[in-house]
């Protein structure tokens, strides 16, 4: 059996890593008489900066991709089309039995459509998540990918409900747990043996860790922000940054800045809000550097999808700067709170947090570090 594994953008790499590890160990342990399994790794090139791509391969022990499609940036149509054209060539050459796509980025949609039109089976890891917000490009990517997938690998129960509501055949739906958490546990193990990256960054992180021993009100927070709906509009971005500045009066805020956000801060002339505050900005961090920072934070504020899940597992209170989430279990069972996208709402939630000490939660079912194993077993046995 031949599998193509596809990854394109930063949040894909941590979802593909456990699958690669699992496939490798399966290959290593198989006597040649048993069903053979082979795989090739495809990087679409949607993200290409060192900090957005290569460093994740290095840290998460993902081998060099077999194919790099070099899609790069562009409008949604341009980026999606470039991936499709290049990926079609790979599929025709490799003739895989199944293409595995993860998450909800443009590369996910592009490769699932391309494979399906060549009558190749598609497996979608992280299927069934729905925000109900069709202005999010990711929501469109999820719906299209799920509509044609032969294997729908679901991370939380809401995914099963959504897929059934959409009329999907329940034989195609597999509740396997959350693959990001496989990588989180892998990263935590690595962290213990982790050696310094850049000196300055390391010192900042050390300083942050020291602060983490202080009482709640003096601990530090970590922020990530990149969603177009939050950062592409000057007034919205300025409103959010001003609220963060207000919070930074109480505690240091560490803010690794995504390239899109960085560009907009410059374009809109908002640098002064950051300069004149207790916010420490930095280039995007590697997986391990970022983990070492947020795992000891008192509070994480984010508009990312995956961080809502990761903070839930380590019990760190998380404010999601969005109006909705496709990951409702992080609110029902985890430490996540939806605070909206307005400065006022963020500060209101922060006042409650200061009084109450943050939301407690528990780890959702099957977020146990064994998701990749379940997925590969299903693909292999089927
Ligand atoms: C993409 C995903 C989003 C995911 C995010 C994580 C889609 C529709 N969106 O959004 O779901 O949460 O990745 O980062 O697929 N850029 C660089 N260097 C890079 C990559 C991007 O400078 O390595 C800049 C480019 O100017 C680019 C912009 O960032 O135009 C946005 O990149 P893009 O891949 O279009 O979307 P993201 O905002 O990163």
């Amino acid at each position: 059996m031949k599998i193509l594994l596809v990854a394109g953008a930063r949040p894909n790499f941590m979802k593909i890593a456990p699958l690669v590890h699992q496939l490798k160990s399966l290959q290593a342990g198989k006597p040649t008489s048993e069903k053979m399994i082979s795989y090739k790794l495809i990087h679409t090139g949607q993200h290409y900066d060192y900090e957005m791509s290569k460093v994740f391969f290095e840290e998460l022990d993902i081998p060099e991709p077999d194919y790099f499609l070099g899609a790069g940036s562009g409008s949604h149509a341009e980026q999606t089309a470039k991936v499709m054209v290049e990926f079609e060539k790979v599929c025709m050459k490799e003739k895989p039995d199944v293409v595995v796509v993860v998450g909800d980025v443009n590369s996910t949609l592009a490769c699932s459509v391309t494979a399906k039109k060549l009558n190749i089976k598609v497996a979608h890891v992280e299927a069934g998540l729905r925000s109900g917000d069709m202005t999010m490009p990711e929501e469109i990517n999820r719906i299209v990918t799920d509509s044609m997938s032969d294997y729908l690998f679901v991370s939380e129960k809401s995914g099963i409900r959504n897929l059934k509501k959409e009329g999907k055949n329940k034989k195609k739906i597999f509740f396997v747990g959350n693959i990001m958490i496989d990588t989180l546990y892998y990263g935590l193990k690595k962290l213990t043996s982790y050696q310094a990256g850049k000196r300055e960054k390391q010192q900042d992180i050390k300083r942050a860790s020291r602060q983490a021993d202080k009482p709640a009100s003096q601990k530090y927070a970590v922020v990530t922000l990149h969603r177009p709906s939050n950062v592409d509009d000057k007034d919205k971005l300025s409103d959010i940054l001003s609220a963060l500045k207000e919070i930074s009066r109480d505690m240091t805020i560490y803010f690794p800045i995504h390239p899109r956000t960085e560009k907009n801060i410059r374009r809109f002339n908002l640098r002064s809000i950051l300069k004149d505050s207790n916010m420490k900005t930095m280039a995007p961090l590697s997986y391990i550097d970022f983990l070492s920072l947020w795992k000891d934070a008192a509070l994480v504020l984010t508009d990312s999808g995956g961080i809502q899940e990761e903070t839930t597992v380590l019990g760190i209170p998380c404010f999601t700067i969005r109006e909705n989430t496709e990951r409702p279990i992080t609110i029902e069972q985890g430490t996540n709170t939806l605070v909206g996208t307005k400065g006022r709402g963020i500060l209101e939630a922060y006042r409650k947090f200061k009084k109450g000490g943050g939301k407690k939660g528990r780890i959702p079912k099957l977020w146990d570090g064994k998701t990749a194993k379940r997925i590969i077993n299903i693909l292999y046995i089927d």
Side-chain angles (χ1 to χ4, degrees), residues 150-184:
D150 301 278
Y151 299 89
L152 295 153
F153 292 121
V154 174
S155 56
E156 63 166 81
K157 288 270 171 75
S158 74
I160 303 175
R161 285 196 297 276
N162 293 331
L163 292 169
K164 283 190 179 160
K165 225 188 294 166
E166 290 171 14
K168 304 284 185 304
N169 181 343
K170 59 176 195 267
K171 286 194 187 132
K172 293 182 176 179
I173 304 172
F174 303 90
F175 178 42
V176 291
N178 191 332
I179 199 147
M180 289 272 287
I181 307 309
D182 291 20
T183 298
L184 176 60

Side-chain angles (χ1 to χ4, degrees), residues 11 46-49 73 79 105-106 138 226 258-260 263:
Q46 177 173 345
H47 283 174
Y48 43 85
D49 284 355
S73 300
Q79 195 175 56
V105 302
N106 286 343
E138 293 84 356
H226 75 283
H258 184 281
R260 174 192 286 279
K263 223 183 270 176

Side-chain angles (χ1 to χ4, degrees), residues 143-380:
I143 290 172
V144 175
T145 301
D146 286 344
S147 74
M148 63 190 64
S149 291
D150 301 278
Y151 299 89
L152 295 153
F153 292 121
V154 174
S155 56
E156 63 166 81
K157 288 270 171 75
S158 74
I160 303 175
R161 285 196 297 276
N162 293 331
L163 292 169
K164 283 190 179 160
K165 225 188 294 166
E166 290 171 14
K168 304 284 185 304
N169 181 343
K170 59 176 195 267
K171 286 194 187 132
K172 293 182 176 179
I173 304 172
F174 303 90
F175 178 42
V176 291
N178 191 332
I179 199 147
M180 289 272 287
I181 307 309
D182 291 20
T183 298
L184 176 60
Y185 290 135
Y186 189 79
L188 285 170
K189 260 193 224 152
K190 273 208 135 180
L191 195 56
T192 45
S193 60
Y194 173 67
Q195 290 301 314
K198 268 199 220 136
R199 212 163 175 216
E200 203 179 302
K201 198 198 302 168
Q202 192 65 12
Q203 275 167 358
D204 256 0
I205 291 168
K206 267 195 199 141
R207 216 173 299 134
S209 310
R210 277 204 298 278
Q211 285 176 358
D213 297 332
K214 295 182 179 170
S217 63
Q218 287 168 46
K219 288 183 176 177
Y220 66 92
V222 174
V223 172
T224 78
L225 216 52
H226 75 283
R227 215 153 277 290
S229 53
N230 282 337
V231 306
D232 284 0
D233 177 274
K234 181 179 179 182
D235 292 339
K236 276 193 181 166
L237 181 56
S238 158
D239 186 36
I240 293 171
L241 293 179
S242 302
L244 296 175
K245 176 179 170 177
E246 193 63 32
I247 295 173
S248 80
R249 287 179 204 279
D250 283 354
M251 54 179 159
T252 307
I253 291 184
Y254 290 86
F255 184 12
I257 308 191
H258 184 281
R260 174 192 286 279
T261 312
E262 174 67 36
K263 223 183 270 176
N264 287 337
I265 288 173
R266 229 180 305 130
R267 183 158 66 104
F268 301 145
N269 250 327
L270 298 176
R271 182 65 61 191
S272 58
I273 304 180
L274 299 172
K275 269 200 178 139
D276 188 22
S277 77
N278 189 20
M279 279 193 263
K280 290 183 185 299
T281 59
M282 51 192 100
L285 294 179
S286 72
Y287 186 81
I288 299 291
D289 276 346
F290 186 57
L291 175 58
S292 73
L293 187 60
W294 73 260
K295 80 175 185 40
D296 296 317
L299 177 63
V300 172
L301 301 98
T302 188
D303 60 5
S304 141
I307 296 171
Q308 299 171 51
E309 302 179 327
E310 293 169 322
T311 46
T312 274
V313 171
L314 294 196
I316 313 284
C318 176
F319 286 1
T320 295
I321 305 179
R322 289 174 47 186
E323 303 295 346
N324 50 56
T325 179
E326 60 288 330
R327 293 161 160 91
I329 204 161
T330 61
I331 295 182
E332 293 151 16
Q333 297 185 11
T335 54
N336 191 18
T337 309
L338 269 186
V339 299
T341 58
K342 296 199 171 59
R344 225 174 335 118
I346 297 170
L347 290 174
E348 181 54 37
Y350 179 66
R351 276 188 283 276
K352 282 191 195 145
F353 163 83
K354 252 177 45 169
K355 264 197 216 150
K359 201 172 159 186
K360 309 270 183 297
R362 62 186 152 96
I363 299 177
K365 195 171 168 198
L366 298 190
W367 293 20
D368 57 1
K370 296 178 185 149
T371 294
K373 194 168 185 185
R374 290 185 199 104
I375 289 173
I376 299 299
N377 278 348
I378 291 164
L379 290 176
Y380 187 64

